[in-house]
Amino acid sequence: MDLSLLKQDIKQLIIKELNLEGRDPASIPDDAQLFGALTGVADSPTVSLGLDSLDALQLAMSIEEKFGVRVPDGSEARSIFASVASLASFVAERTPAG
Amino acid sequence: MRSSRIWITGVGLVTALGPDVATTWPRLVSGVRGLAPLTLFDTAGQRASMVASVAPAYFEDASREGLTGDGAARAWSRTSAFAWKAVAEAMTHAGLPVAPVERSGDRRRLGLVVAGTTGGMFETEALLGDLHANPTSTASLVKMMSQPLTATGDRLVSRFGPFCRVRSLCSACSSGANAFVVGALWLLSGEVDAVVVGGTDGLCRLTVSGFNALTATDPDMCRPFDARRKGINLGEGAGFAVLERASSAVARGASVVAELSGWAIGAEAHHITQPDPSANVAARLIARSLRRGGLSPRDVDYVNAHGTGTAANDSMEAAALATALGQEIERIPVSSSKGQVGHMLGAAGAVEAIFSALAVKHQLVPPTMGLEEPDPACKLVHVLRAGRPARVRAVLSNSFGFGGMDTVLALTEPELGPPPARAEHERRVVVTGVAALSSRGLADAEDAATWVDGSLSHAGAPAPGPLAFDLISQLDPARVRRLDRPARLGAVVASRALAAAETGTGPIDRAEAGIVLGTAFGNLEASAAFMHRLFDKGPRLVSPAEFPNLVPSSPVGHVSIYLGLQGAAFATADLATSGECAVLQGMELVAGGEVDVVVAGAIEEASALVEKVLACLHGGASSGVPMPRSRARSEGASALVLEDEEHARLRGATPLARIERGYTWTDATEVALEAPRDPGRARVVVGRDERAAKKLIGTPWDAVRRTSLAPFAGDHEGLGGTALVAATSMVHRGLADEVLVVGTSNGRGYALLLVMYGLR
């Protein structure tokens, strides 16, 4: 699976599922911290989207729906949801190649 | 406000532990757990299904009475059947006649307050399932209308009425506790001599799937306050109580279960599902409930905790108790009943208030079952394994709901605290800011009058369906992503009305301002969408983010968070008079001293499903629900900032109008409307249903010029709120000295009299 396409898909999914209306996928860096306090400016590597646990649940559900990959609950989920990049790697490892 | 003690003189319970108080209470104290895997419907694919169900045998008399079952003409939902049983028990216990033949005496002074969250959702789900399988079926649509939020109240009226006042309310998991507060305020204002209050909720696919999607459930039996706790087990049932002033209880020889000494309602304004870990608001409310009852932490001998068994609730609650009760927390036993009866959602607050009253009456504290390894983060005096005898003078009952809507009740031995103090001043309610949205746009006190003053006579019919208005343009885009459409409609009018109330004056302390919003159907459209996803994709793929938006009080929670409002917050429902009802409720909160400021209004979202249901109903004569169908349904929202006159004066605000009187009545009661002083300078505004004007026949108001709002501003169930905004605008602009807004719906009516400020 093309990782950069997958990242793009995940960014679009985040924007759609979490109602980040008007946000451009390109404005979300691959390594942006998804959760935690909203910080930084859009092009800073330390940017956080300021998402919370309710968003994590919504995102996990939509990842399962779209990619057929089940994201585990609890502490394991935290590292998977660290960034778009980590989420994309997790999904890529569990989906058939191609 | 009268100064009076309020006594509980009758209680009734239906829980997983038993069909009545006599069965439930001893089993609660001895530690019986009513938990088992759910069998009411298919739970394949559900993450967890451990619940506390009410056994069919516990309410089989409801089907014998012909209330439930397929043969029943207008079948009662399970939720309503639980309420029927608990109300009958509570009224019988209090010595009030329940059989129709005994009701020939004066029943005009008895009120009813019903709390809930899911209403007839279990039954509605089956209809949505039919509709899912057969989208053109109209039979299901017609039946769906038999279970709106007000259905339980209406059915209780049919069995136990007449009642002089009836109210249906929702604040998610604190709903049941709020019914006690609303009833207490009616007693204090002298509107009723006794009031039946309580909550009822039945298990359904929607709540089971939703709490599972939130991963807030424990697949095994729950463990409140335990270090290993994983979440809640849902429960179901009902709890109702009879409240009355101590003087009238004594006069008629009724015995007292406990005194309702104190209470406090507030909102955390933090998050739609997560409690505020600072526990600031919960702690403030615990302290305020004690203050209201003239009590101190030293008087408290037991706390019946909300104690859901989720990680976040239990540690927040322990922190709140420690903050509010100080050192005394090291002495006071605390327990949660949820490991035995489950989390009964809209019924929980009422059932647990009754448990608290019984703890006082029987001098016993019930246990926390499931708790074995207390979490160090919940450092409390726990009651393990079984209840025990204790000296119990005062009990606190905590209830915390979605959207951060919190209520604390204080139940005590009779006459424990000092006699309740009278209000420092006569509280008069003024309007200091208004806003409304209709297909004519966004209006405030300067221009809302144009919707009723004839300016629109040639403007053509208002557009039905969703408003074309750009809601985001009025809001902070960075903070609205969680707000669904009803919440955004509410946020626009509430923020506009508050801004108007603060223009040129001192700010309103948001921490003390409350919010009450009316709704007719709750979020039926989104609930249907959620259920369709469940039917299509299974329980794992329902939307966790959408679930909290399905509670009828969800817009209240969202708007309180958006605006930081931390005063009393809940939703009311009354079909076509949802606007009038919510504003009257807001007025009662201000007049009763619960809040100095409250935003009150109504929201109705355009809904294809509601349209379809109403279109079917209009075709069928059997509905009994008065719905004028000459116009297509529109969308709209309204908000009025209601304020204690003295509070407004102190912050330098000039009121737009004063609400001289708020009336409500039922088919069984008469009201004497105050006559207009100058009929030529008075007006009547009817929100949506011209039939409301029948109430004016034979009164001086019948001769007063009357305008109906719906033909100009679009028709929806919350239009009464918009009528009140227009009426405020009229007296503010001097177009009338006084305006009576009148509305009727399903056997109930409302009239609110707005007068030009400074006129009387």
Side-chain angles (χ1 to χ4, degrees):
Chain A
M1 181 173 277
D2 183 329
L3 207 56
S4 66
L5 275 179
L6 183 57
K7 285 179 196 162
Q8 189 68 13
D9 281 355
I10 288 176
K11 287 177 192 177
Q12 272 162 2
L13 195 67
I14 290 172
I15 288 167
K16 174 171 163 281
E17 289 293 323
L18 308 183
N19 299 324
L20 302 173
E21 286 153 280
R23 181 127 195 177
D24 178 6
S27 75
I28 303 176
D30 290 355
D31 58 354
Q33 195 189 321
L34 294 181
F35 297 90
L38 196 63
T39 56
V41 286
D43 57 357
S44 150
T46 59
V47 72
S48 167
L49 291 186
L51 307 181
D52 64 19
S53 58
L54 184 55
D55 296 312
L57 293 167
Q58 183 71 14
L59 201 49
M61 183 279 293
S62 53
I63 293 276
E64 183 168 337
E65 183 182 20
K66 188 170 170 70
F67 301 107
V69 173
R70 191 176 285 200
V71 185
D73 299 350
S75 54
E76 249 182 295
R78 207 164 301 159
S79 58
I80 297 164
F81 279 134
S83 65
V84 171
S86 63
L87 190 51
S89 310
F90 174 83
V91 172
E93 282 165 24
R94 281 157 188 80
T95 43
Chain B
M1 289 306 275
R2 298 187 189 188
S3 120
S4 179
R5 294 180 187 278
I6 292 168
W7 283 1
I8 296 173
T9 55
V11 289
L13 290 171
V14 177
T15 72
L17 296 181
D20 50 28
V21 174
T23 317
T24 295
W25 175 248
R27 299 186 85 202
L28 184 82
V29 173
S30 63
V32 176
R33 309 190 75 179
L35 301 166
L38 191 152
T39 56
L40 185 63
F41 47 83
D42 180 18
T43 57
Q46 294 283 3
R47 177 181 181 276
S49 65
M50 185 65 71
V51 295
S53 304
V54 172
Y58 289 177
F59 63 110
E60 63 184 2
D61 36 357
S63 85
R64 275 205 304 275
E65 289 268 331
L67 306 184
T68 56
D70 294 338
R74 290 188 64 201
W76 291 42
S77 62
R78 295 176 87 244
T79 296
S80 296
F82 301 153
W84 167 74
K85 210 159 160 53
V87 168
E89 186 184 16
M91 289 177 67
T92 305
H93 183 200
L96 298 176
V98 291
V101 67
E102 297 169 29
R103 271 186 246 143
S104 49
D106 185 12
R107 288 287 299 279
R108 290 179 194 151
R109 304 279 299 161
L110 182 65
L112 175 67
V113 187
V114 180
T117 62
T118 65
M121 187 47 76
F122 173 68
E123 289 75 11
T124 304
E125 284 165 354
L127 302 173
L128 288 169
D130 291 347
L131 210 56
H132 185 68
N134 181 7
T136 56
S137 158
T138 54
S140 294
L141 282 172
V142 172
K143 277 194 210 153
M144 199 176 296
M145 228 9 250
S146 69
Q147 307 298 352
L149 218 56
T150 34
T152 299
D154 286 336
R155 280 165 174 72
L156 292 173
V157 168
S158 74
R159 294 298 289 206
F160 302 109
F163 294 95
C164 66
R165 294 187 143 223
V166 179
R167 180 117 347 127
S168 299
L169 64 86
C170 176
S171 56
C173 310
S174 57
S175 308
N178 281 338
F180 280 65
V181 178
V182 169
L185 293 178
W186 289 359
L187 287 166
L188 292 178
S189 64
E191 299 286 355
V192 295
D193 287 337
V195 57
V196 178
V197 301
T200 183
D201 237 326
L203 285 165
C204 60
R205 299 162 189 87
L206 186 142
T207 47
V208 168
S209 309
F211 281 102
N212 279 340
L214 290 176
T215 64
T217 47
D218 192 330
D220 302 314
M221 292 194 196
C222 67
R223 300 180 172 282
F225 301 117
D226 194 287
R228 303 159 299 167
R229 66 188 181 278
K230 288 191 192 134
I232 66 170
N233 299 144
L234 284 170
E236 64 177 355
F240 278 84
V242 175
L243 306 181
E244 54 192 307
R245 287 182 295 274
S247 51
S248 50
V250 169
R252 67 180 192 90
S255 63
V256 58
V257 181
E259 184 168 317
L260 176 60
S261 297
W263 55 82
I265 318 179
E268 296 180 8
H270 173 71
H271 190 275
I272 198 70
T273 57
Q274 291 294 313
D276 179 358
S278 80
N280 287 337
V281 169
R284 193 160 78 211
L285 296 176
I286 293 168
R288 191 192 292 166
S289 73
L290 289 174
R291 227 171 20 248
R292 172 122 203 174
L295 305 167
S296 91
R298 286 187 300 280
D299 299 312
V300 179
D301 290 325
Y302 170 58
V303 176
N304 187 282
H306 188 55
T308 55
T310 64
N313 175 82
D314 294 3
S315 49
M316 180 282 273
E317 187 168 14
L321 287 168
T323 304
L325 300 177
Q327 276 190 336
E328 294 295 312
I329 195 64
E330 293 169 22
R331 170 188 62 82
I332 303 168
V334 177
S335 72
S336 161
S337 307
K338 293 195 170 63
Q340 298 176 267
V341 295
H343 189 343
M344 296 163 71
L345 304 182
V351 168
E352 291 164 16
I354 291 168
F355 289 163
S356 302
L358 292 169
V360 169
K361 180 177 164 67
H362 297 294
Q363 300 285 295
L364 285 167
V365 295
T368 301
M369 296 310 293
L371 170 58
E372 291 162 358
E373 295 175 17
D375 183 350
C378 307
K379 202 167 167 295
L380 299 166
V381 179
H382 297 293
V383 186
L384 303 175
R385 292 179 292 279
R388 55 179 157 81
R391 178 79 183 98
V392 183
R393 296 164 299 155
V395 178
L396 293 171
S397 179
N398 290 341
S399 298
F400 306 136
F402 264 0
M405 289 175 228
D406 299 348
T407 302
V408 180
L409 303 179
L411 293 304
T412 68
E413 290 181 329
E415 303 183 353
L416 177 70
R422 273 178 189 281
E424 287 162 18
H425 59 273
E426 183 72 18
R427 292 174 70 94
R428 304 208 301 175
V429 180
V430 295
V431 185
T432 51
V434 293
L437 266 171
S438 81
S439 58
R440 304 296 178 190
L442 179 61
D444 60 17
E446 301 307 320
D447 47 14
T450 61
W451 295 354
V452 285
D453 71 357
S455 316
L456 296 173
S457 298
H458 305 289
L467 300 180
F469 191 85
D470 179 7
L471 299 176
I472 292 288
S473 70
Q474 301 290 317
L475 299 168
D476 174 1
R479 296 195 302 120
V480 296
R481 70 184 177 88
R482 283 247 158 86
L483 276 63
D484 59 0
R485 187 162 179 89
R488 287 178 185 194
L489 289 163
V492 167
V493 290
S495 54
R496 183 66 169 258
L498 268 175
E502 290 175 326
T503 301
T505 69
I508 289 169
D509 180 2
R510 304 295 172 97
E512 299 296 334
I515 176 163
V516 177
L517 296 174
T519 174
F521 304 110
N523 208 340
L524 186 60
E525 191 75 29
S527 300
F530 183 93
M531 290 307 301
H532 283 302
R533 241 180 116 81
L534 177 66
F535 296 137
D536 275 339
K537 301 183 181 236
R540 284 199 60 85
L541 295 179
V542 300
S543 168
E546 191 62 21
F547 174 59
N549 292 342
L550 310 183
V551 198
S553 55
S554 150
V556 181
H558 278 304
V559 177
S560 83
I561 294 164
Y562 182 77
L563 293 172
L565 304 176
Q566 293 183 324
F570 56 94
T572 54
D574 202 358
L575 290 179
T577 42
S578 290
E580 295 89 340
C581 176
V583 175
L584 180 64
Q585 179 65 72
M587 193 183 162
E588 290 169 10
L589 288 170
V590 173
E594 286 310 299
V595 285
D596 289 327
V597 186
V598 67
V599 179
I603 303 167
E604 284 302 327
E605 174 190 31
S607 160
L609 185 57
V610 170
E611 268 300 312
K612 269 166 81 175
V613 171
L614 294 180
C616 280
L617 271 184
H618 187 56
S622 63
S623 74
V625 183
M627 294 280 175
R629 295 304 302 158
S630 52
R631 304 174 283 260
R633 191 169 175 274
S634 184
E635 191 174 54
S638 55
L640 294 85
V641 177
L642 309 181
E643 192 166 354
D644 171 46
E645 182 179 31
E646 180 67 4
H647 186 268
R649 190 185 66 78
L650 288 174
R651 68 177 185 89
T654 307
L656 303 167
R658 192 158 59 77
I659 307 189
E660 173 84 10
R661 286 288 299 272
Y663 306 88
T664 180
W665 61 87
T666 66
D667 281 350
T669 51
E670 293 297 320
V671 292
L673 299 174
E674 195 166 312
R677 282 165 319 139
D678 176 358
R681 291 280 304 156
R683 287 282 287 271
V684 171
V685 175
V686 174
R688 68 182 312 235
D689 189 344
E690 273 293 336
R691 283 172 287 184
K694 281 188 196 158
K695 192 71 187 177
L696 307 180
I697 294 169
T699 78
W701 287 100
D702 200 25
V704 168
R705 195 173 150 207
R706 184 163 72 232
T707 312
S708 189
L709 181 61
F712 304 112
D715 186 22
H716 59 82
E717 296 75 15
L719 203 58
T722 311
L724 286 157
V725 169
T728 302
S729 176
M730 292 191 79
V731 296
H732 166 63
R733 290 182 45 198
L735 302 174
D737 288 350
E738 49 194 333
V739 180
L740 187 73
V741 174
V742 58
T744 51
S745 167
N746 221 25
R748 287 181 290 281
Y750 300 85
L752 288 98
L753 178 59
L754 280 82
V755 298
M756 188 184 286
Y757 189 67
L759 206 60
R760 296 194 189 198

